[in-house]
Amino acid sequence: TGTSVGATYTVSDALSVAAYTGTGEDSSNSNYEAELTGMGLTYTITPGMSVSITNNDYSGKGDSSLGTESGSRTAVALDVSF
């Protein structure tokens, strides 16, 4: 099971920003927990072409065999449609 919340704000016709956070648990493993927090922006360069930048921070833990993990990831995407 999990919970999450997010919001997007349109700054202008060309720029939108977003932020979100979420947590999750595994009902079959009481030690499992996961958390994700992120923010990003999308800029429309021209109709049909946009660039997005997203940064995510994550952490999680499982049982003794799975251990824990955490980190940060940034992704850049160029979207083209025609």
Side-chain angles (χ1 to χ4, degrees), residues 7 13-14 22 25 28 34 38-39 43 49 60 65 75 82:
D13 289 341
E25 298 175 349
S28 65
M39 62 175 48
Y43 179 74
M49 183 183 292
S65 65
F82 44 115

Side-chain angles (χ1 to χ4, degrees), residues 8-18 40-43:
T8 302
Y9 179 71
T10 302
V11 178
S12 68
D13 289 341
L15 180 64
S16 63
V17 295
L41 62 86
T42 300
Y43 179 74

Side-chain angles (χ1 to χ4, degrees), residues 30-78:
S30 63
N31 293 319
Y32 178 85
E33 294 178 7
E35 184 176 325
L36 173 70
T37 302
M39 62 175 48
L41 62 86
T42 300
Y43 179 74
T44 301
I45 300 165
T46 187
M49 183 183 292
S50 61
V51 64
S52 300
I53 301 172
T54 306
N55 180 267
N56 293 299
D57 291 323
Y58 60 90
S59 64
K61 70 177 184 174
D63 57 22
S64 59
S65 65
L66 296 174
T68 61
E69 184 177 353
S70 64
S72 182
R73 181 182 82 157
T74 301
V76 178
L78 177 64

